[in-house]
Amino acid sequence: MHFTQNTRRCDGLGDNMTMTSPPSAHTPSPRLLAANLVNAVLLEGFSLTTSLSNLRTSLKATADIDGRELAAAQNLAYGVLREAGRLRFFLAQLTQRPVQPDALIGHLLVGLHELDAELCPAYAAVNETVAVAARRYPHARSFVNAVLRNFQRQRETLEQAARRNPEAQWNFPNWWLQRLQAEYPSNWQDIVRQLNMRPPMTLRVNLRRITRDDFCAQLTAAGIEYRLPAGDPAGAAVILQIPLPVSELPGFAAGLVSVQDLGAQWAAPLLEVTDGMRVLDACAAPGGKTGHLLEQAELDLLALDSDTQRLRRVQENLDRLGLAQMPGVKLLAEDAGKPSLWWDKTPFDRILLDAPCTASGVVRRHPDGKWLKRAEDMQHLAREQARLMDALWPLLKSGGKMLYATCSLFKAENSEQITAFLARHADARIEPVDTASPSKTELKPSKLMPTTLLPSEDMDGFFYARLHKT
């Protein structure tokens, strides 16, 4: 493979972006930081979100790093994890034995990603990866160099072999592919392709504060290109043509707009809230759907989450949106599945249960999830989903509605969960969800009519089922 000299940096900072001054001797390389992030996920089992948070904390305490360098490291790590099936296959073919020390795996995967994706000239990717790895492991210099140069020499053969290996070809674990093939036999390949794409940056305009047209006028004045998606039941979504930091969004700090996937923006309108209703948001963190509900109506709303740290994010989001001081809004760090600890015996008109799940519909935003989840996790999650539904149903008043939501595509967490719930509760019936969307699956004529939103260019994968209490 021939690479021509160009102006692109080889550290993920992007076209024509140069440092105003050279990094200090104490500034960690983006390539080193990315390798550490990859190892934290693939070797230690930490989520990428947790790993990034830990990295930011440690850098604040120990190093002076340019924000662009950290962004570059994050981009490299995300790229590796999106393509980890392919990259780990290449590494296994090139080494033929376990890599020791295993911390070199992160360095090698970052280097292979840069070569495979052609992020910069090949000689720079090889030389800089070797140099970064050798700072900590001097004895590994020749090994890292040999692996990367052998990839260049054998690339065509390796790519042919990868096309015969499902995990390498599709960049998903085999168990995940097999489940998608079984549940979506006619379109599983399209689903996988979408889940491997980079997600759009979608905004939700705070219609309590500004109209979408007026906010879009602010975007235009700021030179920010956007488009309005189809299948937007709340009429509040705006998709940016090019993602950018929220600090550059007009009105973000003032609460005029939030970042939220279009699929997640379906929840609030589907719950059909009106002023004065008593509403429970049972698993509220990080608060995107909580905020959307309060943007739609003045509610007596209780937001629960079992994680105190995550509940702080709900508070921060509501504070920014100017919604935290609305009368009747209350946040509690409690287990939604144990109402005896927090319920005041007053029934709810509406309950939103955004249930814990495998998050199989949003892995393009969280590509680490592909490699951290296990097939057996679904059984544990399904039990937790059933526990929460059964615990919350008695809290709903007669005539009220519960919206069960997941960001999963797997039927064990979705339609099968609802079928089992209806069998356990004679006073529950499913309501058809009739909101037009090009990516919505067709509603089948049966007693079970939930809506599965398949991942598309405009949205992640979600599942919604609206349950009415008779």
Side-chain angles (χ1 to χ4, degrees), residues 126-179:
V126 173
N127 292 345
E128 294 180 32
T129 299
V130 170
V132 169
R135 288 174 199 163
R136 184 171 182 186
Y137 305 104
H139 66 282
R141 178 183 294 274
S142 60
F143 171 70
V144 173
N145 183 68
V147 169
L148 297 181
R149 296 206 180 277
N150 281 337
F151 171 77
Q152 292 178 273
R153 287 190 286 266
Q154 302 173 30
R155 181 169 184 173
E156 184 175 346
T157 301
L158 288 167
E159 288 180 337
Q160 291 175 355
R163 287 191 286 270
R164 298 190 295 270
N165 180 289
E167 189 166 307
Q169 181 183 9
W170 297 104
N171 284 303
F172 273 87
N174 284 322
W175 73 266
W176 200 309
L177 291 172
Q178 290 164 6
R179 186 170 286 272

Side-chain angles (χ1 to χ4, degrees), residues 297-424:
E298 294 187 9
L299 306 170
D300 179 6
L301 184 142
L302 174 60
L304 295 180
D305 202 274
S306 60
D307 188 321
T308 303
Q309 291 294 113
R310 284 170 52 81
L311 196 66
R312 288 199 184 101
R313 292 191 60 194
V314 181
Q315 183 70 56
E316 291 167 0
N317 277 320
L318 296 185
D319 287 342
R320 183 181 59 80
L321 292 167
L323 301 170
Q325 303 306 316
M326 290 179 68
V329 176
K330 185 177 181 180
L331 277 61
L332 275 180
E334 294 285 359
D335 180 353
K338 297 179 180 179
S340 62
L341 300 178
W342 52 264
W343 186 41
D344 63 4
K345 309 303 180 185
T346 304
F348 294 95
D349 299 288
R350 298 286 189 271
I351 296 176
L352 171 60
L353 175 54
D354 190 2
C357 66
T358 57
S360 55
V362 296
V363 291
R364 62 184 180 181
R365 297 186 190 279
H366 305 282
D368 52 315
K370 295 189 289 187
W371 314 111
L372 295 176
K373 295 291 192 303
R374 300 291 180 265
E376 55 269 24
D377 292 340
M378 205 173 314
Q379 299 173 359
H380 306 308
L381 287 164
R383 286 195 292 270
E384 177 66 3
Q385 292 154 4
R387 181 183 77 91
L388 291 169
M389 294 182 75
D390 288 342
L392 295 174
W393 189 248
L395 282 55
L396 187 67
K397 66 171 55 174
S398 179
K401 297 178 182 181
M402 175 191 286
L403 185 67
Y404 175 82
T406 75
C407 53
S408 174
L409 300 176
F410 297 140
K411 293 182 179 180
E413 302 179 275
N414 296 342
S415 58
E416 291 176 7
Q417 190 68 259
I418 298 302
T419 299
F421 178 82
L422 293 174
R424 295 193 302 271

Side-chain angles (χ1 to χ4, degrees), residues 237-252:
V238 179
I239 296 179
L240 300 186
Q241 298 288 27
I242 300 175
L244 75 166
V246 293
S247 59
E248 298 179 20
L249 285 175
F252 180 83

Side-chain angles (χ1 to χ4, degrees), residues 177-196:
L177 291 172
Q178 290 164 6
R179 186 170 286 272
L180 288 177
Q181 290 166 2
E183 297 185 5
Y184 301 92
S186 64
N187 59 341
W188 70 270
Q189 293 175 321
D190 291 335
I191 292 173
V192 170
R193 289 190 188 99
Q194 286 294 337
L195 291 176
N196 279 326

